[in-house]
Amino acid sequence: MAEDHKITIKVNDNGSFRVTGPVELVDAEGNSFEHKESFSLCRCGGSGNKPFCDGTHKSIGFQSAPRAK
C-alpha cells in the first residue's frame, strides 16, 4: 500500500480515536456514515454525535492513556 493511502488510527490520551486516511465507516447494517478523510471517533461514550467525537470527554473527565507494548 502506498504511503499516501495509509490509514492511521491514533488513540489520543484522554480523548478520541483519530482516524486519518481513506477508510469507509459503516453502521451495523452496512450503511456508510458521511465523513471527511480525517475524523475522530468517540471513545468516552458521552458524545451527542456518536460515533463521532464532539469533545464531551473534556467536560466529563474521561481518562484513558493506553500505550502500545
Side-chain angles (χ1 to χ4, degrees):
M1 180 176 280
E3 190 66 29
D4 60 334
H5 288 91
K6 182 178 179 182
I7 298 165
T8 303
I9 302 172
K10 180 181 179 188
V11 181
N12 288 316
D13 287 353
N14 307 317
S16 65
F17 291 116
R18 184 68 181 168
V19 181
T20 305
V23 62
E24 183 179 15
L25 180 63
V26 298
D27 66 15
E29 296 176 352
N31 301 306
S32 294
F33 287 96
E34 289 188 34
H35 60 81
K36 298 178 182 177
E37 191 161 310
S38 294
F39 56 93
S40 295
L41 294 173
C42 177
R43 192 161 66 105
C44 73
S47 175
N49 190 31
K50 290 182 188 108
F52 302 102
C53 176
D54 68 359
T56 297
H57 59 273
K58 296 172 191 171
S59 63
I60 66 172
F62 177 74
Q63 293 186 351
S64 179
R67 295 294 183 259
K69 298 191 189 269

